[in-house]
Coordinates of all heavy atoms in Angstrom, one line a residue:
T177 N -3.5 -7.2 -20.7 CA -2.8 -7.6 -19.5 C -3.2 -6.6 -18.4 O -3.2 -5.4 -18.6 CB -1.3 -7.6 -19.8 OG1 -1.0 -8.3 -21.0 CG2 -0.5 -8.1 -18.6
V184 N -3.4 -2.2 0.1 CA -2.1 -1.4 0.3 C -1.9 -0.9 1.7 O -0.8 -0.9 2.2 CB -2.1 -0.2 -0.7 CG1 -0.9 0.7 -0.5 CG2 -2.2 -0.7 -2.1
F188 N 3.3 3.1 1.4 CA 3.6 3.9 0.2 C 4.9 3.4 -0.5 O 5.0 3.3 -1.7 CB 3.7 5.3 0.6 CG 4.1 6.2 -0.6 CD1 3.2 6.4 -1.6 CD2 5.3 6.9 -0.6 CE1 3.6 7.3 -2.7 CE2 5.7 7.7 -1.6 CZ 4.8 7.9 -2.7
N193 N 7.5 0.4 -5.1 CA 8.3 -0.7 -5.5 C 7.6 -1.7 -6.4 O 8.1 -2.2 -7.4 CB 8.9 -1.4 -4.3 CG 9.9 -0.6 -3.5 OD1 10.6 0.3 -4.1 ND2 10.1 -1.0 -2.3
L199 N 5.6 0.6 -15.0 CA 5.4 1.9 -15.6 C 5.8 1.8 -17.1 O 6.8 1.2 -17.5 CB 6.3 2.9 -14.9 CG 6.0 3.2 -13.4 CD1 7.0 4.2 -12.9 CD2 4.6 3.7 -13.2
D210 N -9.0 -0.9 0.1 CA -8.2 -0.7 1.3 C -6.8 -0.1 1.1 O -5.8 -0.6 1.4 CB -8.0 -2.1 2.0 CG -9.2 -2.5 2.9 OD1 -10.3 -1.8 2.7 OD2 -9.1 -3.4 3.6
A257 N -17.5 7.5 8.7 CA -17.1 8.3 9.8 C -17.2 9.8 9.5 O -17.7 10.6 10.4 CB -15.7 7.9 10.2
E259 N -19.3 11.1 7.3 CA -20.7 11.5 7.2 C -21.4 11.6 8.6 O -22.2 12.5 8.8 CB -21.4 10.4 6.4 CG -22.9 10.7 6.2 CD -23.6 9.7 5.3 OE1 -22.9 8.8 4.8 OE2 -24.8 9.8 5.1
P291 N -16.0 2.4 -7.6 CA -16.9 1.3 -7.8 C -16.6 0.1 -6.8 O -15.6 0.1 -6.2 CB -16.7 0.8 -9.2 CG -15.2 1.2 -9.4 CD -15.0 2.5 -8.7
V310 N -25.6 -15.8 -5.3 CA -26.5 -14.6 -5.5 C -26.0 -13.9 -6.7 O -24.7 -13.7 -6.9 CB -26.3 -13.6 -4.3 CG1 -27.1 -12.3 -4.5 CG2 -26.9 -14.3 -3.0
Q315 N -25.9 -8.4 -5.5 CA -24.9 -8.3 -4.4 C -24.9 -6.9 -3.9 O -25.1 -5.9 -4.6 CB -23.5 -8.6 -4.9 CG -23.3 -10.0 -5.5 CD -23.0 -11.0 -4.5 OE1 -22.6 -10.8 -3.4 NE2 -23.2 -12.3 -4.9
Q325 N -17.0 -15.0 5.7 CA -17.8 -16.2 5.6 C -19.2 -15.8 5.2 O -19.6 -14.7 5.6 CB -17.9 -16.9 7.0 CG -16.5 -17.1 7.6 CD -15.6 -17.9 6.8 OE1 -15.9 -18.6 5.8 NE2 -14.3 -17.9 7.2
K329 N -15.6 -20.1 2.8 CA -15.8 -21.5 3.0 C -16.5 -22.2 1.9 O -16.6 -23.4 1.8 CB -16.6 -21.7 4.3 CG -15.8 -21.5 5.6 CD -16.6 -21.9 6.8 CE -15.8 -21.7 8.1 NZ -16.6 -22.1 9.3
H333 N -18.8 -20.6 -5.3 CA -19.6 -19.4 -5.0 C -20.7 -19.2 -6.0 O -21.6 -18.3 -5.8 CB -18.7 -18.1 -5.0 CG -17.8 -18.0 -6.3 ND1 -18.4 -17.8 -7.5 CD2 -16.5 -18.1 -6.5 CE1 -17.4 -17.7 -8.4 NE2 -16.2 -17.9 -7.8
Y337 N -17.4 -16.6 -12.7 CA -16.1 -15.8 -12.8 C -15.1 -16.5 -11.8 O -15.5 -17.1 -10.8 CB -16.3 -14.4 -12.4 CG -17.4 -13.6 -13.1 CD1 -18.6 -13.4 -12.4 CD2 -17.3 -13.2 -14.4 CE1 -19.6 -12.7 -13.0 CE2 -18.3 -12.5 -15.0 CZ -19.5 -12.2 -14.3 OH -20.5 -11.5 -15.0
G371 N 0.2 -7.7 -1.9 CA -0.2 -8.7 -2.9 C -0.4 -8.1 -4.3 O -1.1 -7.1 -4.5
N372 N 0.3 -8.7 -5.3 CA 0.2 -8.2 -6.6 C 0.4 -9.3 -7.6 O 1.2 -10.2 -7.4 CB 1.1 -7.0 -6.9 CG 2.6 -7.4 -6.8 OD1 3.2 -7.6 -7.9 ND2 3.1 -7.5 -5.6
L373 N -0.3 -9.3 -8.7 CA -0.1 -10.2 -9.8 C -0.5 -9.6 -11.1 O -1.2 -8.6 -11.2 CB -0.8 -11.5 -9.5 CG -2.3 -11.5 -9.3 CD1 -3.1 -11.4 -10.6 CD2 -2.7 -12.9 -8.6
V374 N -0.1 -10.3 -12.2 CA -0.4 -9.9 -13.6 C -1.3 -11.0 -14.2 O -0.9 -12.2 -14.1 CB 0.8 -9.7 -14.4 CG1 0.5 -9.4 -15.9 CG2 1.7 -8.5 -13.9

Side-chain angles (χ1 to χ4, degrees):
T177 307
V184 177
F188 178 68
N193 292 336
L199 298 175
D210 277 12
E259 181 178 357
V310 174
Q315 302 275 340
Q325 311 301 345
K329 287 187 175 180
H333 52 66
Y337 309 104
N372 66 97
L373 57 75
V374 173

